[in-house]
């Protein structure tokens, strides 16, 4: 297999599709989806045959994909072999195995072929750097180690890709990163913010927040430090789902994924994704855990791909409380805004539902007492307005940089809610 040809082909396709009109794009996408349903999907034992329509297929989720892992990939690779491969070097024959971070029972496994890795790389380059020359580009990717997707470009002469393991902590590779002098940085927002706080010597041309929800509170700090607009790559174990264009629009990756949306209340939706260019691990009508706010405006850049106004957070982190009128749900964005609007001095916090009627608000001791009290009161008032039966406790403690898990400022730790 010629990896660079795969990457270049994918790059060209991604660029070509982005210049179509919306009706033209939808025709192309419908044909590509049909081809996937007829040719690729039936090769996974879970499906066996092509459906008449996509919507004839059952909705899938992580629990199902993990429980019947070998039935969803066309090579019959089972989960225990995949975990064993991951523990070694992430290779299972010609396939690459990766996994999401998360608690042990909750990690998602993925398997992709060599060709898919290069296609993924080509697509992400086409979206992230359409106006930058490949040659001389230095891309620093700072993510947890177990994402085997990124190894593909390391040896290419066209671009230099350097990988820095988030879990080792920034102190261990700060010197190497500064020496590498990346032109593009892809990292979780908490790490980009850490670069600002610690004044790392970096001068990228483009900076992408990835792998965690980008909270509005982090954006100004990061943008001021790099003197650049902060862009986003919305991706998960399950693939690449959206990338910011040069006009600032966060475009869904509809050129490789067909999206259906389920309403989640408060104007938010959760996506069902069908990855119609994946041929190894079949993913169809897969329910993501994320909460999105879709944009109703087309982007100024002219791309036919629809835009997301905001990736609000995870469905897992919706607060579930009792009230006089029965059970109620509160989405992470509403809770976050209540804290941040309480006082302008607040630029970091943790808000955790720790019991059916208990919520804990964590604020650093460096924040003024009156600001902390105002934030606690704002959360209490919001919950009272919804008639929630709940006690909000204020905890004053430092909020250290955690590199071993995803940062979630609003988090629901009710096991039974999952
Ligand atoms: Zn755009």
């Amino acid at each position: 297999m010629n990896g660079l040809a795969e990457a270049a082909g994918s790059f060209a396709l991604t660029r070509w599709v982005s210049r179509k009109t919306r009706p033209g794009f939808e025709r192309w996408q419908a044909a590509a989806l049909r081809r996937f349903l007829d040719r690729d999907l039936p090769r996974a034992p879970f499906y066996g045959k092509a459906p008449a329509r996509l919507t004839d297929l059952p909705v899938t989720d992580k629990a199902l994909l993990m429980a019947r892992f070998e039935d969803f990939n066309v090579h019959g690779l089972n989960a225990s072999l995949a975990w064993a491969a991951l523990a070694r070097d992430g290779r299972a024959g010609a396939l690459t195995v990766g996994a999401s971070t998360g608690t042990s029972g909750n990690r998602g496994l993925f398997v992709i072929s060599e060709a898919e890795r290069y296609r993924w790389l080509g697509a992400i380059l086409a979206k992230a750097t359409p106006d930058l020359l490949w040659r001389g580009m230095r891309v620093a990717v700072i993510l947890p180690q177990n994402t085997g997707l990124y190894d593909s470009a390391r040896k290419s002469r066209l671009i230099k890709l350097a990988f820095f393991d988030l879990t080792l902590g920034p102190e261990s590779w700060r010197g190497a990163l500064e020496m590498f002098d990346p032109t593009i940085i892809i990292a979780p927002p908490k790490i980009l913010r850490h670069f600002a706080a610690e004044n790392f010597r970096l001068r990228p041309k483009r900076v992408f927040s990835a792998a965690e929800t980008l909270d509005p509170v982090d954006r100004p700090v990061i943008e001021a430090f790099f003197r650049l607009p902060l862009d986003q790559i919305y991706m998960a174990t399950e693939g690449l789902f959206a990338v910011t264009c040069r006009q600032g629009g966060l475009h869904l990756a509809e050129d490789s994924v067909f999206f259906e949306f389920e309403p989640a209340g408060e104007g938010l939706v959760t996506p069902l994704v069908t990855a119609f260019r994946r041929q190894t691990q079949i993913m169809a009508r897969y329910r993501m855990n994320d909460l999105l706010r879709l944009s109703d405006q087309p982007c100024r850049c002219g791309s036919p791909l629809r835009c997301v106004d905001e990736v609000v957070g995870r469905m897992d982190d919706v607060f579930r409380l009792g009230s006089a009128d029965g059970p109620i749900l509160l989405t992470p964005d509403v809770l976050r805004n209540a804290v941040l609007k309480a006082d302008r001095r607040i630029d970091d916090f943790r808000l955790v539902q720790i019991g059916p009627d208990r919520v804990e608000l964590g604020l650093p001791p460096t924040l003024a007492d009156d600001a902390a009290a105002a934030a606690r009161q704002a959360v209490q008032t919001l919950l009272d307005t919804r008639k929630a039966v709940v006690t909000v406790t204020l905890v004053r403690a430092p909020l250290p940089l955690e590199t071993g898990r995803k940062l979630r400022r609003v988090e629901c730790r009710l096991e039974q809610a999952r």
Side-chain angles (χ1 to χ4, degrees), residues 116-376:
E116 283 171 320
R117 287 207 307 175
Y118 280 98
R119 259 180 254 152
W120 183 91
L121 180 72
I124 204 162
L125 288 175
K127 288 167 191 284
T129 66
D131 54 348
L132 296 178
L133 286 176
W134 279 33
R135 196 173 289 279
M137 210 163 66
R138 296 181 300 280
V139 184
V141 179
I142 302 150
L143 290 173
Q145 181 66 44
N146 43 26
T147 32
L149 283 172
Y150 311 100
D151 293 341
S152 20
R154 253 182 204 159
K155 296 186 195 87
S156 156
R157 279 181 298 131
L158 292 171
I159 59 166
K160 289 197 173 69
L161 191 76
F163 185 90
F164 301 90
D165 186 355
L166 181 61
T167 54
L168 298 177
E171 314 74 43
S172 67
W173 38 253
R174 176 175 183 162
L177 175 66
E178 290 179 343
M179 280 281 286
F180 183 62
D181 192 19
T183 54
I184 295 177
I185 298 176
I186 301 172
K190 69 182 171 204
I191 292 294
L192 297 172
R193 193 165 158 167
H194 180 76
F195 293 163
E198 299 296 320
N199 203 19
F200 275 46
R201 284 191 305 108
L202 297 166
R203 39 172 200 170
K205 293 189 168 62
R206 226 176 153 192
V207 178
F208 288 93
S209 151
E212 288 177 4
T213 305
L214 173 63
D215 267 341
V217 69
D218 292 321
R219 181 186 283 280
V221 180
I222 297 165
E223 292 187 336
F225 177 67
F226 288 109
R227 295 198 205 103
L228 287 171
L230 177 62
D231 294 321
Q232 282 189 79
I233 296 177
Y234 164 37
M235 59 186 175
T237 323
E238 297 85 5
L240 171 69
F241 295 113
V243 179
T244 309
C245 74
R246 289 319 294 265
Q247 301 289 332
L250 181 57
H251 291 272
L252 290 169
E254 293 180 289
D255 46 3
S256 58
V257 175
F258 182 83
F259 289 85
E260 299 168 79
F261 298 105
E262 298 179 310
E266 318 261 356
L268 304 175
V269 296
T270 56
L272 296 181
V273 298
T274 299
F276 60 80
R277 285 168 73 185
R278 292 263 287 259
Q279 296 166 318
T280 304
Q281 187 174 33
I282 299 300
M283 188 171 295
R285 307 201 78 207
Y286 179 89
R287 182 178 281 128
M288 301 281 297
N289 194 6
D290 299 287
L291 287 165
L292 311 182
R293 189 183 311 285
L294 297 175
S295 176
D296 45 17
Q297 303 288 331
C299 182
R300 281 173 299 159
C301 75
S303 164
L305 306 183
R306 276 182 297 177
C307 282
V308 174
D309 277 340
E310 194 185 358
V311 182
V312 169
R314 296 153 51 87
M315 201 61 200
D316 278 351
D317 289 326
V318 170
F319 282 15
R320 294 140 206 270
L321 297 161
S323 82
D325 302 335
I328 54 164
L329 303 180
L330 282 116
T331 55
D333 56 327
V334 172
L335 293 158
R336 177 192 70 209
N337 291 345
V339 176
L340 294 178
K341 282 187 182 148
D343 193 292
R344 286 173 53 189
R345 288 169 287 179
I346 299 169
D347 70 351
D348 202 2
F349 70 92
R350 303 289 183 273
L351 188 64
V352 185
Q353 182 178 1
I354 54 172
D357 56 359
R358 287 173 64 211
V359 169
E360 210 170 74
L361 173 62
L363 289 163
T366 46
L367 181 71
D369 286 343
D370 61 321
R376 196 206 70 81

